[in-house]
Amino acid sequence: MTPDRPDPDPTPDTPSDSDSDLRWICVFCGSSAGEDPRYLDAATKLGRSLAARGMGLVYGGSQLGLMGRLADSVLNAGGKVVGVLPEPLLPREVAHRSLTKLVITESMYERKAEMARLADGFIAAPGGLGTIEEFLEVLTWAQLGMHRKPCGILNTNGFYDPLSAVFDHGMREGFIQHVHRKMILIESEPDPLLDRMSAYQPPKVPRWIEVGET
Ligand code: AMP
C-alpha cells in the first residue's frame, strides 16, 4: 500500500490475516436502485461482506441508488468507505455525508484514475451506462497490462448474463483472447466473488502502455 492511500483499519472482529492483499475494493454500481428490490438487497450484502473481510470500499461517493445503499451497508457494518466525486457532478449525484473520506476531483477522468489508484481490485455490480463504462475501462487496462488487479462482476439476478454472452461471443469470433476472457471473474453472490478475487493470479500480459499514456 502506498503511504498516501487511506488506511482501512481492520474492524476488531476481522481476521487480520485474511484477504490481506485486497485491502480496498472499488465497486462500480448504479446511481439508480433498479426495479427489482433484489438489487438493493445485493448491495447491502456486498457491503456486509466487504466489511466482514476488513476490506475498505472505494466508490463514486453518491448517496443515490445502489451506490448509496452499498456505502451505508459498509459503514453500518463498521467498515471504511472512500467516495470519489467529480466536482461538476456534485449537484447531480448528491454526495454521501457520512463517508470515512470524500475526495473531490476536477473531472470525470481524474475520478476514474483516482479510484483505480486507490483500489486493489474492482467489482461491477448492477448499474447503468456509467457502471458499465467504468468497469470496461479498468478491464481494458488489465488487458493492456497496466495493472494486475482482479476484476469481478457481481451477477445479481443474472443481470450481467447478456454482457457475459457478449464476452463469450467476442472470444468465439476471434476478437477477445481466451487469456483476457479468463481475467473476468463472474459470480452471482458476493462471498464467492470476493474469494475468487482474493485467489486471483493475473496472467502474464505484456505492458503495452503506462497509465499516464491513456
Ligand atoms: P450509472 O451506472 O449510469 O447509474 O452511473 C454510476 C456511476 O457512474 C455514477 O457515479 C456516474 O457518475 C458514473 N458515470 C456516468 N457516466 C460515466 C462515464 N462516462 N465515465 C465514468 N463514470 C461515469
Side-chain angles (χ1 to χ4, degrees), residues 29-31 67 89 93 108 111-112 127-131 133-134:
C29 62
S31 54
M67 297 171 75
L89 277 187
E93 296 224 324
M108 185 68 93
R111 173 205 237 179
K112 292 196 285 189
L129 294 176
T131 300
E133 194 271 351
E134 289 170 318

Side-chain angles (χ1 to χ4, degrees), residues 3 8 17 32 41 47 54 71 73 86 123 139 141 144 154 169-170 191 206:
D17 57 345
S32 308
D41 292 345
S73 174
I123 291 178
L139 203 52
W141 287 354
L144 290 167
L154 183 61
H169 183 63
D191 280 316

